Amino acid sequence: MRLQDVLLAAVIARAYGNPDPLSDKAKLETPSGGFEWDPAQGDPVDHEGYISSWHHKLHSRDEASHRGLTFHPEGSPGNFRCHYPQLDPDIWESCNRANSRTCWLRMKRPGSDGRIYGYDIHTNYEVAAPIGISRYYTIDVGTGVIYPDGFPKQALLFNGTYPGPRLEACWGDELVITVINSLPNMGTQIHWHGIRQLFTNDMDGVAVTQCPIARGHSFQYKFRVLQYGSTWYHSHYSLQYSDGLCGPLVIHGPASANYDLEAERTLMISDWVRDSAFNEFHQEKTNDVAKATVKMDTFLLNGRAGMNAVGGPGNSPRDIEAYSVTQFTPGKKHRLRLINSGSGATFVISIDGHQFTVIANDLVPIRPYTTDRLVIAVGQRFDVIVDGQRGRTGNYWLRAQPADGCNSFKKGVFNSTAGANTTYPLDTRVGIISYPALHSANDDDDDDDDTPALPTSLSTLTDFSCLDRQSAMVPIVPWTITREPLNPLSLSTFYNARQTTPDQTLGQAGNYSHWLLRLDPNVEHQTGRSMHSPFWLDFSNPTLLNLTGAAANPNYNIIYYPYRRRDGYIYMIIDSSLLPGTLPSQLGSQIVPNKGAHPMHWHGTDVVILGQSSEPFDPVLSPQGWKYDNPPRRDTVMVPGNGGYVAVAFKPDNPGVWLVHCHISWHASSGLALQMVVQEEGNPGHIYSVLGRRAVDRLVGGCEEWDRDLVRGDLERMVEKDDSGV
């Protein structure tokens, strides 16, 4: 080895070979020239107001094919490749290996200042990322008959499949996704769940930011992926995703622990209704609160029902083809990506005889911790590493147990307090981890007796509670929360409420009860601020195109927050308790239920969990126990049931109109949502100046197409709009 190579290896070892790669001493210096936005330079818009200042740096497909650093993300399935056209391969390299997953890209040699520059697990991905390429996808939204559990269902499908196709990108890429609406009687719009959409609020894909895509028309979503990890995409038009419109989205980047291989498939667990979700929604409309819950038929893993299948081609209860099978290699560490893409149930995930090393929740990389169970609510995601144990052969069950108090099925109630050996109407064995059989040299290659057998493994898990170990989730990139919020907390404390008398004003039926987020009536009386109505949108009037007029509609539930790029946090409380000090006569036609947990999802930002308790929120005592130094962070947070609360905080640094809603699809469609408008105080044109004129014109054009389609008069689901729209 040359002397200079020895010296280089020593320098790299000092810079990156720290025994603890998660230590701050091990992080790489972020280079200039990547995506970095300096607040001192103002909003990232060119002088003409058309495009973001960094947008033009992205290279097209043709340019990307001729220069730059190209590599296959080591250990990932298929032949997908990352490409960074601005990085000279003579200077830069991919450093993401089985024994160095915390690294992503780095210079081969120190810079002139003696430092090694690159992007790794410590890089603050909210303000810095490498610049990748534009990746183009086309998604067709249509219908088709599928048999996920043996029963036929006329489903809504992306490119004819359920789940939809896996979309992939590399950290720093731009995704350009053309969505074509081929539905016969509905509009659609697609949301990219958990994607921050920094300065691209118009690409969020929800009814507050755009009109639905008209039939026979398309909309091109275009946005940068500054985060990395595992997420999903789904329709945000009414109840469409509950009928099949969802799919996985994987963004390759560094990881906080080492692994060898990544599973071929993303694991999407979901509860499932055999009838149309629009038909099932009638149950949520009943005025009898005790009965107002849509009950699901079964649950699936990657569109397969396993033991809960009822027959049909490939769906025999004793046929391994009825299961989603994940292959393991003995002695190797496997990365699994888990997503709850369901409509209502929270699941407790486990693998018999194995443990999880958790490395990310939602799109937030965290310090690894080990557990034998994962509690995953609707909309949440986990990235985990599972050791393929040496010498193992055969198959092991992957189980999805509906969590206590966070599920509702037609065939009984799951409740672990009935006993660990309770036999449930639905089988919780939904997937299989399969190790290859060992063969001797004398085995006959033509032997047909190697068909994998169903597992016989047993579970020792007994804890099926609905809340996960939030305290164990320590983000790698830290946030330190200021003790004083930018907003008055009393006006950002919202209660999960439900009407008890028929509502004659919303929906064509005009005679059912709705969910809602409301303020304390005492606070309303004291401040003159009113919010006690279900969320309810006009598809033809997205808030983003009518910021002034939309605020006058009480059902748009708009909260204004000041834009701050440099510092400061907004606090919010979601409480499921009875309203403190409130007389029944003050509630009108609303009550606050003291049961049921709600997975709340924030668009446009991650939120930290300051506090989460099964006790009601106390504005004096509760904050004394909150965590301010790098608390857990994610985009979908469970509000505890039985009168508990969750307190969150976020940076108001992303201008736009952002939805906050329960991700139980029946609750969101019934009105359990609000929207946040983040903009500069005293500057009503701030959001438009960030988006640019071209983005606004594109949204206006989509609304014109939608309105022309409405005039045709044959859009049953549009004309008879009977839900909130989200």
Side-chain angles (χ1 to χ4, degrees):
M1 179 180 289
R2 296 179 304 171
L3 176 60
Q4 56 264 44
D5 292 331
V6 173
L7 294 175
L8 174 60
V11 171
I12 292 177
R14 285 198 301 272
Y16 202 78
N18 192 288
D20 178 12
L22 298 181
S23 167
D24 285 344
K25 295 180 180 179
K27 63 184 178 183
L28 298 174
E29 296 287 340
T30 303
S32 60
F35 170 73
E36 284 192 89
W37 185 71
D38 183 356
Q41 295 178 356
D43 292 323
V45 179
D46 70 2
H47 296 295
E48 301 299 323
Y50 284 116
I51 57 176
S52 298
S53 60
W54 48 261
H55 193 82
H56 69 280
K57 296 180 181 178
L58 295 164
H59 292 267
S60 69
R61 287 172 291 186
D62 294 333
E63 290 175 312
S65 64
H66 296 299
R67 63 176 183 268
L69 177 65
T70 300
F71 60 93
H72 171 68
E74 186 182 273
S76 62
N79 58 3
F80 178 88
R81 303 184 75 79
C82 295
H83 186 79
Y84 294 97
Q86 293 189 353
L87 301 185
D88 186 340
D90 292 332
I91 300 174
W92 286 82
E93 65 179 352
S94 164
C95 50
N96 191 252
R97 303 284 186 264
N99 62 353
S100 60
R101 292 297 182 194
T102 58
C103 193
W104 185 242
L105 298 167
R106 72 179 174 203
M107 297 176 66
K108 293 180 178 180
R109 295 173 175 80
S112 57
D113 56 3
R115 298 178 179 180
I116 296 179
Y117 290 86
Y119 299 91
D120 65 4
I121 198 73
H122 298 285
T123 302
N124 185 354
Y125 51 85
E126 295 210 329
V127 297
I131 293 191
I133 60 172
S134 297
R135 297 192 183 271
Y136 293 78
Y137 292 95
T138 299
I139 296 176
D140 185 83
V141 179
T143 62
V145 177
I146 58 175
Y147 299 79
D149 62 348
F151 286 94
K153 174 166 179 168
Q154 182 71 28
L156 306 178
L157 305 172
F158 286 128
N159 291 1
T161 67
Y162 175 76
R166 170 166 150 154
L167 306 184
E168 294 183 78
C170 295
W171 184 19
D173 281 349
E174 178 188 55
L175 281 170
V176 184
I177 306 169
T178 300
V179 176
I180 302 170
N181 182 10
S182 296
L183 296 173
N185 65 341
M186 283 187 277
T188 195
Q189 47 209 359
I190 309 305
H191 174 59
W192 318 97
H193 186 104
I195 299 297
R196 192 177 177 216
Q197 299 293 356
L198 183 63
F199 312 129
T200 51
N201 181 220
D202 55 310
M203 295 294 155
D204 199 37
V206 68
V208 302
T209 61
Q210 69 174 114
C211 291
I213 305 169
R215 294 174 301 170
H217 289 267
S218 65
F219 187 87
Q220 188 177 79
Y221 294 92
K222 183 184 295 186
F223 52 89
R224 285 287 304 281
V225 285
L226 304 179
Q227 304 139 288
Y228 49 85
S230 307
T231 189
W232 60 309
Y233 61 100
H234 60 85
S235 170
H236 225 305
Y237 179 104
S238 299
L239 293 151
Q240 286 183 347
Y241 97 74
S242 295
D243 273 341
L245 285 182
C246 63
L249 172 56
V250 171
I251 306 166
H252 297 281
S256 63
N258 293 333
Y259 60 90
D260 300 294
L261 303 169
E262 179 183 328
E264 182 178 1
R265 294 183 181 87
T266 306
L267 302 179
M268 300 186 72
I269 179 71
S270 61
D271 46 14
W272 185 252
V273 288
R274 293 165 183 154
D275 195 3
S276 162
F278 290 88
N279 292 338
E280 292 284 358
F281 184 55
H282 78 276
Q283 184 65 37
E284 201 70 38
K285 302 174 185 178
T286 179
N287 300 318
D288 187 342
V289 175
K291 298 179 180 178
T293 302
V294 174
K295 296 184 181 298
M296 311 300 288
D297 288 292
T298 187
F299 41 92
L300 314 171
L301 179 64
N302 288 347
R304 299 187 179 188
M307 194 66 74
N308 297 311
V310 295
N315 273 328
S316 168
R318 298 300 301 171
D319 189 343
I320 200 169
E321 294 300 320
Y323 294 89
S324 178
V325 179
T326 300
Q327 300 292 337
F328 267 25
T329 300
K332 298 293 185 181
K333 294 182 177 181
H334 302 79
R335 177 177 183 159
L336 305 181
R337 302 174 184 268
L338 295 156
I339 300 169
N340 186 337
S341 56
S343 299
T346 294
F347 290 96
V348 179
I349 307 296
S350 63
I351 300 174
D352 292 353
H354 296 73
Q355 288 195 315
F356 300 114
T357 297
V358 186
I359 60 172
N361 54 254
D362 297 356
L363 288 172
V364 178
I366 62 174
R367 291 187 174 272
Y369 71 92
T370 302
T371 181
D372 59 358
R373 64 191 286 274
L374 282 174
V375 180
I376 180 168
V378 179
Q380 292 182 337
R381 295 88 65 209
F382 282 101
D383 287 54
V384 301
I385 296 170
V386 183
D387 282 352
Q389 299 167 8
R390 294 186 183 279
R392 286 281 181 105
T393 61
N395 300 325
Y396 296 81
W397 288 117
L398 187 155
R399 300 174 187 265
Q401 166 83 34
D404 290 352
C406 295
N407 71 88
S408 179
F409 290 89
K410 294 175 182 175
K411 294 184 178 180
V413 177
F414 289 83
N415 189 339
S416 62
T417 59
N421 297 319
T422 300
T423 301
Y424 297 108
L426 292 172
D427 201 299
T428 62
R429 298 172 291 179
V430 297
I432 294 173
I433 300 298
S434 180
Y435 287 88
L438 297 178
H439 299 281
S440 69
N442 296 325
D443 282 346
D444 184 354
D445 292 339
D446 295 328
D447 190 353
D448 293 329
D449 295 331
D450 290 337
T451 301
L454 290 174
T456 58
S457 61
L458 300 175
S459 174
T460 59
L461 207 63
T462 58
D463 182 3
F464 301 109
S465 56
C466 194
L467 288 180
D468 204 354
R469 295 171 52 190
Q470 302 285 359
S471 61
M473 303 174 191
V474 181
I476 301 294
V477 177
W479 286 11
T480 299
I481 312 304
T482 53
R483 298 269 177 156
E484 294 296 327
L486 294 170
N487 58 311
L489 194 54
S490 62
L491 289 174
S492 289
T493 299
F494 305 101
Y495 296 85
N496 300 316
R498 195 175 191 280
Q499 296 170 332
T500 55
T501 58
D503 188 327
Q504 304 293 335
T505 62
L506 300 177
Q508 293 296 314
N511 190 31
Y512 72 88
S513 300
H514 303 272
W515 284 94
L516 60 140
L517 288 169
R518 66 158 302 158
L519 292 171
D520 184 336
N522 293 317
V523 171
E524 289 187 315
H525 176 73
Q526 295 165 5
T527 64
R529 176 62 199 271
S530 175
M531 180 179 285
H532 54 261
S533 300
F535 188 75
W536 210 261
L537 291 173
D538 176 357
F539 277 140
S540 295
N541 187 24
T543 307
L544 187 55
L545 292 180
N546 186 17
L547 286 170
T548 303
N553 188 329
N555 292 111
Y556 271 51
N557 288 356
I558 296 177
I559 306 295
Y560 288 92
Y561 289 131
Y563 171 74
R564 292 287 191 277
R565 184 62 191 175
R566 293 178 183 274
D567 51 25
Y569 290 84
I570 298 294
Y571 286 14
M572 297 179 74
I573 309 291
I574 310 292
D575 198 327
S576 65
S577 70
L578 294 173
L579 296 177
T582 302
L583 299 174
S585 60
Q586 294 177 285
L587 293 174
S589 62
Q590 286 84 32
I591 66 166
V592 175
N594 57 7
K595 293 183 178 180
H598 297 274
M600 299 299 297
H601 174 50
W602 274 259
H603 289 221
T605 184
D606 289 334
V607 298
V608 299
I609 303 173
L610 296 171
Q612 190 177 34
S613 173
S614 58
E615 299 295 324
F617 171 64
D618 185 301
V620 175
L621 298 179
S622 295
Q624 296 177 13
W626 288 356
K627 180 176 175 58
Y628 299 91
D629 182 15
N630 199 23
R633 187 167 77 243
R634 61 192 321 165
D635 58 61
T636 306
V637 179
M638 181 65 79
V639 180
N642 298 316
Y645 80 93
V646 67
V648 304
F650 69 93
K651 299 176 182 179
D653 59 356
N654 193 6
V657 181
W658 304 109
L659 191 65
V660 179
H661 64 96
C662 177
H663 222 295
I664 295 174
S665 58
W666 325 107
H667 294 177
S669 288
S670 188
L672 191 58
L674 56 81
Q675 51 187 322
M676 311 181 301
V677 174
V678 178
Q679 64 181 10
E680 286 182 346
E681 297 171 283
N683 182 6
H686 175 228
I687 294 174
Y688 298 137
S689 70
V690 170
L691 295 179
R693 190 173 65 202
R694 185 173 297 175
V696 175
D697 289 347
R698 185 167 51 244
L699 294 178
V700 171
C703 286
E704 291 173 347
E705 293 172 349
W706 167 255
D707 288 338
R708 285 194 295 269
D709 205 11
L710 277 177
V711 171
R712 294 168 54 181
D714 61 343
L715 296 174
E716 177 184 355
R717 292 295 185 195
M718 299 177 187
V719 175
E720 297 185 7
K721 181 177 178 295
D722 210 19
D723 60 60
S724 69
V726 299

